[in-house]
Amino acid sequence: MTDLTLDVLIKYLGEPVRKRGAEYEWQCPYCQDRGEDNLKFNENKGILYCFANPEHSRTILKTISQNEGGLNFKVDYNKNFDFELELELNEFETQEKQKSDEERFLDFAFDMEAYNAELLRDKKALELLLQKRGITANTAEEIKIGINREANRWAIPTIQYETNIYEDSFLPRVIGFEYRPLDFSKKELTREKDCPTHLAQINKYTDKTQILTVIEGYFDGYLLYQYLKEKGIADLYHIVTPCNGVNSLIKQIDEVNFTKYKKFELFLDNDESGQRVADKILEKYPFFTKIELNCGCKDFNEHYLKCIKKIHES
């Protein structure tokens, strides 16, 4: 058997369009009409994979094998391998444990893209997301929420807060996921094992950002972002949320680079725990403006569905 190498792939695919760590990317020749760089090669694992259609990467490997005199690559394109390696399970798990945090976070970033692509292909799940949470397909694509079909649950990425400005092609620092059942129940809510506790961002910081808005939950943040886009002012806002519940916000708020903003908003749930945390933050950072709902709704998600959406439909 022969290792699949970068040199062999370049010979047939040309130079990669992008490199991230050990990952190289090309536009898949079989799905160029999508205009996306779906074809990825992990040099450490020796895996070529098309995220749009795994059959494409198998076809490419088969073609290369035939042209190279019947090379038998370690990754068998004739099987439904989907990232399988010729390693014993215990050896693979050992390698996973030895991964550095940055390698894990890069894997999470690619997982996020794959989970999001899975959601965007699922019309029923998109309809459920719109009906239950008010989130449109366009917003879902931007915020990168997805579905982990293997576990049949929502995969909500924890993207670490930062104020660096990157090109759109840059993969954000995904440090884990929050998982929920497809019915959005919080009773079975789980988080990625060993996920660091950091402030998470809903949208990225840009050169147009002026306002920091701290909101309590992911879905509140997603709907707020969608609402601000509807009003044409989303670019002015950097929306962030605590990744491990509202009580963790008291410590996580210290991660904010306050010099990057002109205004600060605090938008926590209208309940005892949310208001208690809000009061503590205002004691330490009195320049925050506390946003309050006067309609009786508990949070912005409820407010959007019951109040804002109703106004739009009337």
Side-chain angles (χ1 to χ4, degrees):
M1 289 190 178
T2 304
D3 287 323
L4 180 61
T5 65
L6 180 62
D7 289 341
V8 169
L9 290 175
I10 290 175
K11 180 178 178 182
Y12 288 90
L13 299 172
E15 292 292 332
V17 298
R18 192 175 297 107
K19 179 181 185 298
R20 296 188 180 97
E23 301 274 359
Y24 296 83
E25 300 177 24
W26 290 264
Q27 186 175 89
C28 176
Y30 294 99
C31 49
Q32 289 185 349
D33 58 323
R34 296 171 61 96
E36 300 173 1
D37 303 326
N38 295 315
L39 191 64
K40 304 183 191 298
F41 173 63
N42 187 301
E43 192 170 24
N44 292 338
K45 298 178 181 178
I47 294 174
L48 183 72
Y49 192 79
C50 176
F51 277 90
N53 188 335
E55 289 298 329
H56 294 170
S57 42
R58 298 188 188 105
T59 301
I60 292 168
L61 287 175
K62 185 175 182 179
T63 301
I64 294 174
S65 174
Q66 292 171 345
N67 290 339
E68 292 292 318
L71 290 179
N72 187 12
F73 295 118
K74 284 187 176 180
V75 179
D76 188 349
Y77 50 79
N78 291 315
K79 297 179 181 178
N80 184 23
F81 60 91
D82 286 358
F83 284 106
E84 289 177 9
L85 299 175
E86 283 200 342
L87 295 171
E88 295 296 330
L89 181 59
N90 58 350
E91 182 181 350
F92 176 75
E93 290 177 345
T94 299
Q95 288 190 359
E96 289 294 298
K97 289 177 182 178
Q98 291 174 347
K99 278 186 176 180
S100 69
D101 282 344
E102 292 306 319
E103 288 176 315
R104 288 176 59 238
F105 297 158
L106 186 61
D107 285 345
F108 289 155
F110 283 117
D111 287 343
M112 176 185 71
E113 296 289 345
Y115 296 154
N116 182 246
E118 184 66 43
L119 170 61
L120 297 177
R121 289 192 292 265
D122 191 329
K123 291 184 178 180
K124 289 186 177 180
L126 288 172
E127 289 173 1
L128 181 65
L129 187 63
L130 181 62
Q131 178 187 5
K132 295 292 186 180
R133 292 294 187 172
I135 296 174
T136 66
N138 286 339
T139 300
E141 185 173 10
E142 286 192 59
I143 61 180
K144 299 301 182 183
I145 187 174
I147 286 182
N148 179 344
R149 273 299 171 203
E150 185 177 346
N152 208 33
R153 56 188 181 175
W154 294 104
I156 302 164
T158 298
I159 302 174
Q160 187 173 345
Y161 165 85
E162 62 178 341
T163 55
N164 293 323
I165 299 174
Y166 297 109
E167 296 178 0
D168 289 340
S169 60
F170 180 80
L171 282 176
R173 197 166 191 259
V174 182
I175 59 175
F177 292 89
E178 180 178 288
Y179 301 105
R180 296 192 186 191
L182 294 185
D183 63 359
F184 297 104
S185 171
K186 288 187 177 181
K187 293 181 180 180
E188 298 179 42
L189 185 153
T190 59
R191 294 184 174 88
E192 192 74 40
K193 184 180 179 182
D194 300 325
C195 174
T197 301
H198 285 289
L199 198 63
Q201 62 183 24
I202 300 298
N203 62 327
K204 65 181 181 180
Y205 182 92
T206 73
D207 55 2
K208 298 179 182 179
T209 301
Q210 297 182 22
I211 304 165
L212 176 75
T213 299
V214 182
I215 201 161
E216 183 162 333
Y218 288 102
F219 285 99
D220 297 322
Y222 296 154
L223 261 296
L224 178 59
Y225 175 71
Q226 180 173 295
Y227 173 63
L228 294 173
K229 284 212 71 174
E230 291 168 355
K231 295 182 69 176
I233 57 175
D235 287 346
L236 300 178
Y237 289 80
H238 195 196
I239 306 168
V240 301
T241 189
C243 74
N244 195 26
V246 68
N247 290 320
S248 65
L249 181 59
I250 297 172
K251 290 185 177 180
Q252 292 177 24
I253 197 74
D254 294 336
E255 298 176 27
V256 171
N257 184 346
F258 294 102
T259 65
K260 294 288 188 176
Y261 311 94
K262 296 179 180 179
K263 292 178 61 178
F264 304 88
E265 297 178 345
L266 190 60
F267 198 171
L268 304 188
D269 287 1
N270 188 25
D271 57 18
E272 183 178 348
S273 59
Q275 295 307 301
R276 176 175 50 80
V277 171
D279 290 342
K280 288 187 177 182
I281 290 174
L282 288 169
E283 286 179 11
K284 188 172 183 180
Y285 300 108
F287 48 81
F288 271 93
T289 298
K290 185 179 178 181
I291 307 298
E292 296 183 277
L293 297 172
N294 299 317
C295 55
C297 293
K298 175 179 177 289
D299 53 33
F300 187 77
N301 199 161
E302 182 180 352
H303 178 65
Y304 184 92
L305 294 174
K306 289 186 176 181
C307 302
I308 296 176
K309 194 174 180 182
K310 186 179 292 185
I311 293 173
H312 287 175
E313 291 174 350
S314 62

